[in-house]
Amino acid sequence: MQNRQIQIAELPTAELTPDHFKLVEADMPKAGDGEVLLKVILMSIDAANRSWMKGATYRAAVQAGDPMPTYAICEVVESNSPKISVGDIVAAEATWSDYIVAKGHRVEKLPKVETLSHLMSVYGIAGKTAYHGLMSIGNPVAGETVLVSAAAGSVGGYVGQIAKALGCRVVGIAGGPEKCKWVEDEMGFDACIDYREAGLSKALAAACPNGVDVYFDNVGGKILESSLNFMNEKGRVVCCGAISQYDTDNPTGPRNLPGVIVVKRLKMEGFIVMDFAHNDAKCVRAMQHWVGTGQIKVTEDIVEGLENAPQALIGLLAGDNKGKRLVRVAADPS
Amino acid sequence: MQNRQIQIAELPTAELTPDHFKLVEADMPKAGDGEVLLKVILMSIDAANRSWMKGATYRAAVQAGDPMPTYAICEVVESNSPKISVGDIVAAEATWSDYIVAKGHRVEKLPKVETLSHLMSVYGIAGKTAYHGLMSIGNPVAGETVLVSAAAGSVGGYVGQIAKALGCRVVGIAGGPEKCKWVEDEMGFDACIDYREAGLSKALAAACPNGVDVYFDNVGGKILESSLNFMNEKGRVVCCGAISQYDTDNPTGPRNLPGVIVVKRLKMEGFIVMDFAHNDAKCVRAMQHWVGTGQIKVTEDIVEGLENAPQALIGLLAGDNKGKRLVRVAADPS
């Protein structure tokens, strides 16, 4: 059994390129006392991967020579942990590898489902991030307008679909006419604005005639700045990420913030999906309901092969995905 | 009886100067049906005056030719309103004038107190802004660290004194060594940092060894940016104003916002003191308690004479006041 691993060759100082990674043949890891040997099946590719390369965040910084960390769905191949059995499907803090070893008490047994990828998209990190951020910070009410950036991304599509199910007007922002059409036609948004076209402010004014009550921000930077101008009084800005700011050495803040946050009594609040783990069961129950009624479509963008993980991340940062991006390292067990 | 009035001669596009104002002899206004004629005694000078000159805020924009609007304490000279009597002391939306006319139902009767200025400082807009913003948005708890910018300003001193009374470590930011000494010695802050000296970040690190749990922001701009770096997880930023940004044509946003708001799960929220009017009685009761125990000192900075109002505002924007700035137009009635 070989164990391929993708390591950080060099930390990026500006834009991420394939040269920042190297594929190595690593030793097969050995499960010690209380540990399990896991075969990686699916890896979650997230903008957060890039931010971990910028220094300490909510986890320790990733260093040159480290394998890239990732959330993964894995099959248990060996177990020295009493509560975990060979053949179990688990979620784990893994790395970009074929095989990893983890502490038995640090992995989470997953329910047996037909399609494992759903546990990373609609019922996993993407769906949970959308649900918790929107419901706990955004608090949208029927009739309000919800604006979502990176609307074709892993989280954005779920945010908009949940807000539609709640009775809101939903406007997306995405890059390029093809993605915008997909957001409107497939995700059912009322409108989707192409930020690559000139006239973002004019387009926001046209698409949000009653202003914006909740802005779910996945991008930061200039789109955040423009969106703040359209917020209604007592509007809520859900700060989920800032993909436009991770892959640059020249970040920008919303210059209009001081002018609007007081006058409009805005609330801006950041969160991490794990903060709301105590509500995960409620979230999954709600998502299952909306999938059942057809109000939420499951969107996934699966790249095949461990060796393609660097390009999958680089492409994600450039916005080439539609829906939750995953890398498949091995087939679902039959 | 003459009625002097200070009007906006020209709207500023950058820094405010005395040339943006003109003193005129206006006609004595006449109280119509349901109206009252008021003699202005004290006017509140606020950074917000400057922001009203930048366009529509929570009130309509001020235009060239308008008298400058102001909150004022006035004595009723004539009344055509059944509920208001000659001799009553009232709070009113006034202008920079000796006399104004107001609708009887728009003025608020004030209690008879020995020192009318206290109704604008500790028991008025300054004290209420400090109390409501700190208590309702900041929610500080004993043992936490509260950081306050414009600590020698009208609001900042009360914020710090309330937080001290609650058992917090309180750190101020002010301009110049003399003000910083006053904030520490007179206002009782644990430390006060002079932002005009180099090394703000180093000074913040030294003064806030346990990080910052609540940042009460009166200034925006670079001080906000630096302070965000020291916020603890789940920290609260009370957005009360952005005095550094009002008197400029080149506003700056916190460039580090996207990097910190998500990772640290920060909440930033703006407010206007009137939003919490339903809690004013509770606020005044608490402030009276702390004034009684000596935990809150009343700070006022009274400029004499209507004709000095422009300089009083220009000076406020440059930070030359210590405590709540007022302009006295007439003596308290005996």
Side-chain angles (χ1 to χ4, degrees), chain A residues 238-254:
Chain A
V238 184
C239 299
C240 180
I243 195 169
S244 76
Q245 303 293 298
Y246 296 151
D247 203 18
T248 173
D249 56 355
N250 184 25
T252 58

Side-chain angles (χ1 to χ4, degrees), chain A residues 262-263, chain B residues 44-55 57-59 62 68-69 71 125 240-243 246 272 313 316-317 324:
Chain A
V262 177
V263 168
Chain B
S44 177
I45 304 295
D46 299 286
N49 289 104
R50 178 65 181 87
S51 68
W52 302 338
M53 302 169 95
K54 287 181 89 86
T57 53
Y58 47 91
R59 60 184 301 152
V62 179
M68 175 63 103
Y71 299 103
I125 187 169
C240 180
I243 197 170
Y246 296 150
I272 306 277
L313 176 58
L316 179 91
L317 295 169
K324 172 63 192 161

